[in-house]
Every structure is written in structure tokens, then in C-alpha cells.
């Protein structure tokens, strides 16, 4: 146990010892402060309508809101003004029709442009402008090299991580300000390009100043992009900086001194001002509903109340400084908030839960253009619904703290997974083309990794583009897996290192996602979804390089055989390796009640159909057969807009019902729900003809078996994997319609616990056949481990 571990234990004990009445008094004062801050922000925003607008370039003019509104409602006048006051004026003017279409019409576009112009001057409307498509630049004179006096990429004291995504024009302004105004401490810049277009990325090929660039071929979103940057940072102190920030002279030293002078300080942030000089944020506070309040927004940054450093709930990740070891201890930015919003507030509260304070430092000032990347809707992320969805997730984790001011005990530390390479050990490469998220496929593949490590193999998890060790460690903790020694290896690096002894490639198609890379090669086919004709033709010959196909279930094996025969492809040996289940050690809990369903929230393919479960539950309630019963819907959320909307639609459909959503719940919460619930619902494949669309059925169904391990009775759709696992009328039941699900559940709810007990015992006994031990033995036999 390190000295800092002792400090954390002491700080947490001191926080836990604060009397309840003291916390209540603090909380009441905070609510009063929040109300005052909101009123001040409203008044300051209203005052902007009559205040002069300071232009960011050219002479200062007294432009009233009336004049600005006149510009916005006249495209020609707006175009001339923008062309004069922005660097990309002509491109901006040409983009006006596109902006109008994107914002849903001239009126909403004008309203948004007015707000930006009032805040930042006419130049502020550039936030609305999609980045120009960059063409090959004409030959230019090589700029004079910039050699900052304090830059040191060998032994930096501070690493500054800057994230770019298709806005190199903005990022270059950020870099130039860093080179010009960073002093007092040796520093390096880690520029993470987060899957930008080649034309945008090309601008970083010949930077005039020093910078270490990390190129990602895939957009890893805000949180994971920064996690990767911190992973690559050499210094013990790390600054995260949005690319739409420009720093001012003397910005770094106050941040470093505040953090270093107080071991109990976990994260610090500067004063953020808008380009027009108004205050954007002097730290942030959170109310009981997880709504944020930026202290001092739209006010005069020189006022005394904004020039006193002190603790706050959070500071924006647009610019913040912390110790790298503390960031890694709390596992950085949480993937549950992807693609964006609330991950910085979550990071601050995780540090605070350890006993560390979050401090606003008034002596440090940066200029923040705010939302230059996220407000550009041309990226297709459709972020309009993500803030509210992430607020709900954030509230689910931190709601008790926001209401009381007292943290629960910090979770046990998960040491960062360290890659272990020993040349004398057999090597295993596990490839996945999919995002590393808390899903069944990821859990399966990482369980294979754990078993291979336990058998003395050197194991590489291979992905198309890098991931952070923070993310891998977080997933290991979620799944309850020991993955120490597992190496994260990008595909290009894996190709350079030579063949693996064993290569296992995960796929959702019959054609492999990559060519074979091992002495022995296995295609792990989750299900043989149909691929496009061109992709099938391009990759079909790769299949001949693989020696066998592994699948999760007999149902999937039958589908693979059918597709091979349909394509007139020579059959390969097929091995069924059913996913493992963590068996419950405790006896079946008495007094089990309610219904639980576990599965990722997503639309299409083999969706878990939580929407139909809500419909069935409404039938139960309206028939009067669900008195006192709660439906618990548990699952991770997906990043794509269509899947986020599916979750939101489910939440709306459940309004007025006793339905609780547990989005991105930790393993401990899921286990508790399995143990406490009486009935498990499974609905993937409901209404599907498995002979026509087998891909829309559940391919195996690990969650029903996990529930059975706790004596929870499963009610599953009569097709796909679960129909073979759950024996109808013996250890669970099958159904074929929403009405059938409601009727079977009503019948179970009418039984006494003594009547249900034999089926609970049978369900638990059936689950024993899918233990981790059995899975490990099957793997060892299949791969000769």
C-alpha cells in the first residue's frame, strides 16, 4: 500500500465522518447559491440584447442587437459582415444555404446565429459553418520553425493533450497559442487526431512547431480519444485541452502550482472567457437533478467574485489539469457517456469520491470558442438527444450524492492492465473489428483471453485502431475478469510482428474480417449475417485460410452450415463453444419479486425488443395482474443515433408504468437484480420466422442462463438459442406473442413461492452446465492449451 493509498483512505474517512446536519447546511447553502447564479446568468444574457457587441477582428464598433438581427435576417448583409470578420468568410457565405437546411429553416438558423453573434460578435457564427473540404494546397513557402523555449519531449513535467476531429483550422490556432504562451514548466503536446478526413489530417504533416501526433483511423469519441492521449502522455501531470481553446500568457503556472501545493487537490481548471471578453465559466456547480450551472456565465470576468480560487463541483474538460496516476486510478473517462457530454463532470465526481477536491483557479485564463466541433451537425452524430440521456445516466450514478453531499464508498481500485511479453511463450491473437463496449461478444472474447493467459499464453487483443488501457481495465472490471498481462495491439502493429501461434477472429459474417495471421486460424462467427456482394467476393477466399469455425450455439452452427451450402463453399469443421456463466454461490434468495430483463438497448437485427416487453407489461398492469410488480430493464446503451433514439422511445413508452431503467449498470447492480427478481423476460426474435430470418433471433442468450443461475425463472421466445437452452415447462417457459408473454407471466405471478421453488431449483441446475470451468475445459480441448 503506497503513501498515496494511505492518504486516500484518510481523506475518505474524514469525509464520511462529517455530521449529517453539517452536510445538510452545506447543501442548503449550495441550493441558494445555485438559484442566485441562475438568476445572474439570466439577467446577464438579457442585458446582451442592448449591450455593444465587440467584434473579434478589426476596429471595435458599437453594434446593438438590433443591428446584428438586421444582419442575420438579410443574407447579403450577413454575408458581407461575416466575410469581413472571419478568416474563412467566403466559405462561410457560400455555406449559408446549407446551414439553413441543416438547422431546419431560416428562422431557427437565424435564431442560432443571433445567439452566437450576440455572444461572440459576427465572427462567432463560424461555429455553424461546416469545415471546408480541403484540397491539395498550392506550394507555399516553408514557415519558419517555431522552437518554444519550454518544450521538452524527452522529460516533460506536463503533457498537453489536444484532440482534433476534422477541424485542423481551429486546432492550428490552439497549437500556435500553446507554443507562444506556455512557459514555467517543461511540456510536450500530444495531438490526437480522432479519425479525421485525410484532407484535414494532411495539415499536420508539416507543423512549424513541435508536437507528437497520435493518428487514429476511427473516431473514438471525446472520452476515449482523450483516454488514449493520456495513455501516450510521458509527463506525470496532464492537461486536457479542447482544440477550440486558445491560451493566454501565464496560463499554465497557476494551475500547476495549485495542484502541486495541495496533495488533496485532484483536478484544477482555469477561468474560461468567450472571444468577446465575457466570462464563460469560473468553475461549475451541479444541482440535485444533475443540471449544470456555469459560474459567472456572460458576466464581467474582472469582478472580484470571479477572481477568487476555490472548490467547485466540476471544471470543464475543455481545459483541466490533473495527475496522470489519479486519472488512471479512477479509470479516466467512462465509456457510458459516449459519444459526448457529462464525462468531465463524472470524472470530477470520481476524483472527489476518492477524497480529492476539484478547484477553480482564477489566476489562469483561456479563451474558449465553445462547441466548434460538436455544433457542426455534418458529422452525423445527431447529438440533439445525447445530453439528456447522459444526464439520466449521470443521475443514476451520482443522484444520492447530489441530494445529500455524501459519497458512497469508492469502488475497489482496479490496477491498470499491463501488457506482458515473454518471447518463450506461445502467442494468441484475438481480433475484433467491433467497438469495445460492454456487450456479449466482447465479454466472450475477453473471457477467451483470460483463459489463454491462465494457460501461459502471451495474448494480444487486436483492434483496427488503438484503444486505451483505461478502457480495457474498465471492461475487465465490468465483466469480473482478470486480464492482467493482456496486450492491446493495433492491427497494423500485429501485421508487422509476424504470425501468431493461434489466431482467432471475431466476425458477424461468414467471410472473415481480416486475413489469417496465425499458424492455426479460427473464425469465431457470432452469426453469419449476410454481407454485401462486393465484400463477399473480396473476402471469400480468406475463408480458405482458416482451419475451423467456432460458434456460440447449435442454432448458430445450423445457420453457418446452411449459408456454406447455399454459397457452395466447402464445409469447414464447426465447433460449438457456448459462452460461460458466473454461477451464484449463495442459495436462492427468499422473497424474490419482480421481473428483470438484461440486454443492450439497440434497434434492428437481433434487438432485445424492450419495446415489446413494455407493451406486454402494460397489458399486465391494465388487466390488474401486476399489482406491486416492477419491470427492471437493464442494459448498455449504444452510440449510434438510431440506437439512442430507441432507448429514448422505450423510456417514453414506459411513462406511467412501474418500469425502471438501469442503463450501463455496474456488474454488482446486475447481479443483485438477478438475485432479487422472480422472473426473467427474454424477447429477442419475437414475431420472427427463424427459417426466413434466423439472424433476427437470439443466437445464444447468455443473460437468461445468468438469471437461471440465481433461481430466476426464464420466460423466453420460442426460437433461437434460448429455446434450446430453456426447457419448456421444466426450467422455464417459451412463448410466441406479446399476449402470450403477458399471460404466462400472470400465471407465474399467481403461484405461491412453494409452487415455484421446484422450477427455480431446476433452472439453477440447468445453468451449472454453462460454468466458466466447463468453458475453460472446452477451450483447452479445442486449442490444445
Amino acid at each position: 500500500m503506497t503513501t498515496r493509498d494511505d492518504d486516500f483512505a484518510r481523506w475518505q474517512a474524514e469525509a464520511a465522518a462529517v455530521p449529517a446536519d453539517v452536510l445538510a447546511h452545506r447543501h442548503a447553502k449550495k441550493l441558494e447559491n445555485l438559484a442566485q447564479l441562475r438568476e445572474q446568468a439570466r439577467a446577464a444574457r438579457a442585458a446582451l440584447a442592448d449591450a455593444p457587441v465587440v467584434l473579434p477582428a478589426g476596429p471595435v464598433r458599437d453594434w446593438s442587437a438590433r443591428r446584428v438581427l438586421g444582419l442575420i435576417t438579410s443574407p447579403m448583409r450577413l454575408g458581407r459582415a461575416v466575410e469581413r470578420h472571419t478568416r474563412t468568410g467566403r466559405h462561410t457565405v457560400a455555406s449559408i444555404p446549407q446551414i439553413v437546411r441543416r438547422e431546419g429553416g431560416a428562422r431557427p438558423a437565424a435564431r442560432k446565429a443571433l445567439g452566437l453573434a450576440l455572444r461572440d460578435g459576427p465572427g462567432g457564427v463560424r461555429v455553424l459553418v461546416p469545415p471546408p473540404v480541403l484540397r491539395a494546397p498550392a506550394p507555399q513557402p516553408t514557415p519558419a520553425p517555431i522552437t518554444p523555449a519550454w518544450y521538452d519531449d524527452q522529460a516533460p513535467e506536463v503533457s498537453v493533450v489536444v484532440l482534433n476531429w476534422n477541424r485542423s483550422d481551429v486546432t492550428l490556432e490552439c497549437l500556435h497559442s500553446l507554443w507562444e504562451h506556455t512557459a514555467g514548466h517543461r511540456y510536450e503536446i500530444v495531438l490526437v487526431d480522432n479519425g479525421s478526413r485525410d484532407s484535414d489530417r494532411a495539415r499536420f504533416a508539416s507543423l512549424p512547431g513541435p508536437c507528437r501526433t497520435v493518428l487514429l483511423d476511427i473516431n473514438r469519441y471525446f472520452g476515449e480519444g482523450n483516454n488514449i492521449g493520456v495513455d501516450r502522455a510521458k509527463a506525470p501531470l496532464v492537461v486536457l485541452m479542447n482544440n477550440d481553446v486558445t491560451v493566454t500568457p501565464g496560463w499554465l503556472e497557476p494551475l500547476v502550482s495549485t495542484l502541486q501545493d495541495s496533495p488533496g487537490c485532484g483536478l484544477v481548471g482555469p477561468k474560461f472567457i468567450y472571444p468577446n471578453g465575457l466570462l464563460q465559466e469560473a468553475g461549475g456547480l451541479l444541482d440535485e437533478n444533475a443540471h449544470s450551472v456555469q459560474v459567472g456565465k456572460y458576466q464581467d470576468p474582472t469582478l472580484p467574485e470571479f477572481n477568487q480560487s476555490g472548490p467547485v463541483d466540476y471544471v470543464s474538460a475543455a481545459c483541466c489539469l490533473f495527475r496522470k496516476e489519479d486519472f488512471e486510478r479512477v479509470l479516466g473517462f467512462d465509456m457510458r457517456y459516449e459519444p459526448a457530454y457529462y464525462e468531465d463532470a463524472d470524472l470530477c465526481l470520481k476524483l472527489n469520491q476518492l477524497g480529492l477536491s476539484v478547484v477553480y483557479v482564477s489566476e489562469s485564463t483561456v479563451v474558449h470558442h465553445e462547441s466548434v466541433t460538436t455544433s457542426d451537425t455534418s458529422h452525423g452524430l445527431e447529438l440533439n438527444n445525447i445530453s439528456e440521456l447522459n444526464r439520466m445516466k449521470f443521475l443514476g450514478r451520482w443522484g444520492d450524492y447530489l441530494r445529500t453531499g455524501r459519497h458512497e464508498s469508492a469502488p475497489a481500485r482496479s490496477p491498470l492492465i499491463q501488457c506482458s511479453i515473454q518471447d518463450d511463450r506461445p502467442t494468441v491473437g484475438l481480433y475484433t473489428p467491433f467497438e469495445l463496449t460492454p456487450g456479449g461478444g466482447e465479454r466472450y472474447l475477453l473471457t477467451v483471453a483470460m483463459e489463454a493467459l491462465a494457460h501461459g499464453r502471451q495474448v494480444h487483443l487486436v483492434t483496427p485502431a488503438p484503444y486505451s488501457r483505461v478502457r480495457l481495465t474498465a471492461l475487465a472490471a465490468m465483466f469480473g475478469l482478470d486480464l492482467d498481462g493482456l496486450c492491446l495491439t493495433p492491427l497494423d502493429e500485429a501485421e508487422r510482428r509476424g504470425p501468431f501461434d493461434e489466431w482467432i477472429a471475431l466476425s458477424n459474417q461468414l467471410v472473415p474480417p481480416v486475413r489469417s495471421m496465425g499458424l492455426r486460424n479460427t473464425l469465431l462467427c457470432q452469426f453469419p449475417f449476410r454481407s454485401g456482394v462486393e465484400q463477399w467476393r473480396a473476402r471469400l477466399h480468406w475463408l480458405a485460410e482458416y482451419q475451423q469455425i467456432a460458434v456460440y450455439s447449435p442454432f448458430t452452427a445450423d445457420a453457418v452450415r446452411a449459408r456454406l451450402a447455399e454459397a457452395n463453399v466447402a464445409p469447414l469443421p464447426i465447433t460449438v463453444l457456448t459462452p460461460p456463466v458466473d454461477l451464484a454461490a449463495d442459495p436462492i434468495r427468499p422473497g424474490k419479486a419482480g421481473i428483470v430483463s438484461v440486454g443492450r438497448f439497440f434497434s434492428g437485427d437481433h434487438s432485445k425488443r424492450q419495446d415489446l416487453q413494455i407493451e406486454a407489461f402494460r397489458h399486465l398492469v391494465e388487466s390488474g395482474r401486476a399489482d406491486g410488480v416492477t419491470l427492471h430493464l437493464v442494459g448498455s446503451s449504444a452510440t449510434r443515433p438510431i440506437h439512442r433514439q430507441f432507448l429514448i422511445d422505450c423510456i417514453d413508452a414506459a411513462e406511467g408504468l412501474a418500469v425502471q431503467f438501469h442503463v450501463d449498470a455496474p456488474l454488482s447492480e446486475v447481479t443483485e437484480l438477478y438475485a432479487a427478481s422472480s422472473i426473467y423476460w427474454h424477447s429477442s426474435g419475437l414475431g420472427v420466422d427463424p427459417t426466413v430470418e434466423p439472424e433476427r433471433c437470439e443466437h445464444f442468450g447468455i443473460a437468461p442462463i445468468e438469471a437461471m443461475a440465481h433461481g430466476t425463472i426464464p420466460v423466453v421466445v420460442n426460437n433461437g438459442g434460448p429455446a434450446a437452452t430453456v426447457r419448456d415447462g421444466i426450467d422455464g417457459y417459451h412463448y410466441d406473442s406479446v399476449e402470450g408473454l403477458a399471460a404466462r407471466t400472470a400465471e407465474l405471478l399467481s403461484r405461491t413461492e412453494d409452487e415455484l421453488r421446484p422450477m427455480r431449483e431446476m433452472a439453477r441446475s440447468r445453468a451449472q452446465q454453462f460454468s466458466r470451468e466447463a468453458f475453460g475445459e472446452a477451450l483447452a480441448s479445442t486449442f490444445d492449451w
Side-chain angles (χ1 to χ4, degrees), residues 382-396:
E382 298 181 27
L383 299 175
N384 54 300
N385 59 15
I386 190 65
S387 182
E388 180 59 21
L389 189 58
N390 281 356
R391 185 188 69 84
M392 181 187 76
K393 298 178 188 179
F394 183 86
L395 195 59

Side-chain angles (χ1 to χ4, degrees), residues 58-380:
V60 176
R61 303 181 183 182
D62 185 10
W63 280 30
S64 66
R66 189 184 301 269
R67 174 103 184 263
V68 172
L69 183 59
L71 282 177
I72 291 166
T73 54
S74 170
M76 289 183 63
R77 294 169 65 195
L78 174 62
R80 287 195 297 269
V82 169
E83 193 164 339
R84 285 196 303 270
H85 296 293
T86 68
R87 297 184 180 184
T88 57
R90 288 187 176 83
H91 170 68
T92 302
V93 173
S95 300
I96 288 176
Q98 179 183 348
I99 295 168
V100 169
R101 288 194 303 272
R102 191 184 69 207
E103 298 297 330
R107 185 176 293 275
R111 185 181 299 114
K112 192 165 185 178
L114 172 60
L116 292 164
L118 285 173
R119 193 187 72 187
D120 298 339
V125 300
R126 73 174 184 166
V127 169
L128 289 174
V129 181
V133 177
L134 301 176
R135 298 174 176 82
Q140 299 289 332
T142 303
I146 299 172
T147 54
W150 288 90
Y151 197 91
D152 183 350
D153 58 3
Q154 298 303 309
E157 299 171 79
V158 180
S159 295
V160 182
V161 175
V162 180
L163 198 64
N164 175 73
W165 185 41
N166 290 325
R167 289 312 300 256
S168 59
D169 54 332
V170 176
T171 302
L172 288 172
E173 293 180 11
C174 174
L175 295 177
H176 277 278
S177 75
L178 285 169
W179 292 325
E180 182 177 359
H181 297 308
T182 304
H185 297 277
R186 301 187 309 277
Y187 74 98
E188 67 163 349
I189 299 173
V190 180
L191 173 61
V192 179
D193 185 85
N194 211 7
S196 298
R197 294 183 295 266
D198 290 343
S199 56
D200 191 81
R201 182 180 288 183
R203 301 185 69 175
F204 302 132
S206 56
L207 292 172
C211 179
R212 185 155 54 93
T213 304
V214 178
L215 300 179
L216 306 179
D217 292 332
I218 296 172
N219 182 5
R220 292 294 188 217
Y221 306 121
F222 179 83
E224 179 62 6
N226 277 302
N227 286 344
I228 293 169
V230 175
D231 223 8
R232 304 295 179 89
K234 296 179 180 178
L237 304 181
V238 178
V239 170
L240 299 183
M241 184 166 291
N242 278 15
N243 63 336
D244 59 356
V245 166
T246 51
V247 301
T248 64
W251 73 278
L252 180 60
E253 292 166 285
L255 296 177
V256 172
S257 61
T258 301
L259 187 71
Q260 290 186 328
D261 289 349
S262 174
C265 180
L267 184 145
V268 295
K271 179 189 298 178
F272 292 94
I273 62 172
Y274 287 114
N276 68 350
L278 291 179
L279 181 60
Q280 182 182 117
E281 176 185 307
L285 299 178
L286 295 162
D287 68 14
E288 293 179 333
N289 294 312
H291 292 294
S292 63
V293 175
Q294 293 170 289
V295 176
K297 195 173 182 71
Y298 303 127
Q299 298 181 62
D300 182 354
T302 66
L303 292 175
E305 56 264 39
F306 307 129
N307 285 280
Q308 298 177 11
S309 300
V312 290
D313 286 340
Y314 76 94
V315 295
S316 169
C319 181
C320 61
L321 171 75
F322 48 77
R323 298 175 186 85
K324 181 176 179 178
E325 65 169 307
D326 292 343
F327 183 86
E328 293 175 341
R329 180 182 286 262
V330 298
L331 299 182
F333 287 130
D334 197 312
M335 68 188 81
R336 76 175 62 196
Y337 300 107
E338 290 176 347
Y341 298 130
Y342 273 91
E343 58 271 273
D344 49 2
D346 181 78
L347 172 66
C348 290
L349 291 196
K350 287 193 294 186
L351 291 168
N352 190 245
Q353 188 179 36
L354 288 179
L356 297 169
S357 60
V358 176
V359 176
Y360 159 64
V361 181
S362 62
E363 297 85 359
S364 174
T365 300
V366 301
V367 179
H368 186 205
H369 296 269
E370 198 173 41
S371 303
V372 167
T373 298
T374 55
S375 64
D376 171 18
T377 57
S378 65
H379 48 51

Side-chain angles (χ1 to χ4, degrees), residues 46 49 130 149 183 358 369 482 558 745:
V358 176
H369 296 269
D482 180 5
D558 290 341
T745 303

Side-chain angles (χ1 to χ4, degrees), residues 4 37 49 161 169 266 271 299 305 325 363 365 418 446 456 477 552 559 594 625 643 648 669 701 758 765:
R4 197 150 174 79
L37 289 169
V161 175
D169 54 332
K271 179 189 298 178
Q299 298 181 62
E305 56 264 39
E325 65 169 307
E363 297 85 359
T365 300
Q418 303 293 334
L446 292 176
Y552 295 164
R625 296 177 291 178
H643 302 321
I648 291 170
E669 184 177 344
S765 176

